[in-house]
Amino acid sequence: MSARTAPVEVLCLGMGRTGTQSLADALPLLGIEPIYHMRDVRKNDHTEAWRALLERKIDGLPIIVEDFDAIIGSYAGTTDWPALTFAVELMDAYPSAKIILTVRDEDSWLVSMNSTLLITPKSTFFSHFTDYHLGPQKERGEEEKRRGFREHNENVKRWTKERGRELLVYEVNEGWAPLCAFLGTELPGVEFPRSDDLSTKGWNKVVGPGTET
């Protein structure tokens, strides 16, 4: 746990399986680093800290900047779960951060989720977050998954608008141009990363072995 040591420059609040790892790998090439991604949870032994924040959210208790700084205080931005679950709280905690919503075709997102994150080895940590967005696993059908995806995206758009914040709705296959224009950075002159460790390496290689991840 640590206090903030660097300003938060960007909040990438799209659902997992929308190119969040590619974006996490792209932003450092633009000088925005480090970026917190799902793979950083176990690496930093943060499972209990995020679980505690989720319990606070479910109970309707306030979550403030110091709560986030204690976990991601050395990071310049976030992508993916678990941070995306706290989209509105992160917006309020870091009012100067740029906001990006990664999206993709709903059908292809569902296929990707069903073939990766929703068939992971037993994970009592991660399941709390998918249950929050998509409904309890035993009651979750395809339409519930779709509804959770749509509702999250619409909420991010609404919360951003309500706060008078700019939002980039972004598909990673658009590459550098819209991302750099939004962030005010130069085009980096290298190919945009196409990263997907979960598909290529598997759950344990991304977040580490163990059923409590």
Side-chain angles (χ1 to χ4, degrees):
M1 303 291 181
S2 62
R4 177 140 303 279
T5 59
V8 173
E9 299 182 57
V10 63
L11 299 170
C12 306
L13 303 175
M15 292 279 264
R17 309 309 297 169
T18 60
T20 53
Q21 186 185 337
S22 293
L23 190 55
D25 292 343
L27 290 169
L29 299 176
L30 302 178
I32 302 173
E33 61 180 329
I35 301 297
Y36 196 97
H37 177 267
M38 179 172 63
R39 59 194 171 190
D40 294 290
V41 176
R42 190 175 181 87
K43 185 188 304 181
N44 292 287
D45 196 24
H46 284 166
T47 55
E48 289 305 318
W50 284 113
R51 199 196 318 261
L53 281 193
L54 181 59
E55 290 174 358
R56 289 180 64 82
K57 183 178 178 75
I58 291 170
D59 290 341
L61 298 174
I63 300 172
I64 59 176
V65 63
E66 289 80 7
D67 297 317
F68 291 121
D69 283 351
I71 305 173
I72 58 171
S74 62
Y75 289 83
T78 66
T79 71
D80 207 73
W81 274 296
L84 72 89
T85 298
F86 305 92
V88 68
E89 293 88 354
L90 285 166
M91 289 182 198
D92 291 341
Y94 305 111
S96 63
K98 298 275 191 175
I99 302 172
I100 298 172
L101 176 66
T102 47
V103 296
R104 70 185 292 182
D105 171 76
E106 185 177 298
D107 290 335
S108 67
W109 172 81
L110 186 59
V111 169
S112 180
M113 285 290 290
N114 283 340
S115 63
T116 55
L117 290 177
L118 297 182
I119 58 167
T120 60
K122 180 177 171 58
S123 168
T124 57
F125 170 73
F126 186 66
S127 65
H128 290 301
F129 292 87
T130 51
D131 286 357
Y132 179 84
H133 288 278
L134 309 178
Q137 184 173 359
K138 292 182 179 179
E139 304 170 16
R140 183 194 305 153
E142 300 302 274
E143 184 51 41
E144 284 74 22
K145 299 172 191 175
R146 292 177 181 274
R147 185 182 305 119
F149 179 66
R150 292 193 297 265
E151 287 181 354
H152 176 78
N153 291 341
E154 291 307 312
N155 281 337
V156 170
K157 294 174 185 177
R158 175 171 57 84
W159 292 329
T160 307
K161 184 176 181 180
E162 289 172 351
R163 287 157 177 77
R165 305 275 289 275
E166 288 187 88
L167 173 68
L168 174 64
V169 179
Y170 177 63
E171 294 191 32
V172 293
N173 61 15
E174 297 176 89
W176 290 117
L179 181 64
C180 292
F182 181 70
L183 297 174
T185 63
E186 297 291 329
L187 294 170
V190 296
E191 288 190 8
F192 191 91
R194 303 295 178 186
S195 312
D196 188 3
D197 286 350
L198 195 60
S199 290
T200 60
K201 299 180 181 179
W203 177 263
N204 286 345
K205 293 292 186 182
V206 177
V207 299
T211 60
E212 294 302 311
T213 305

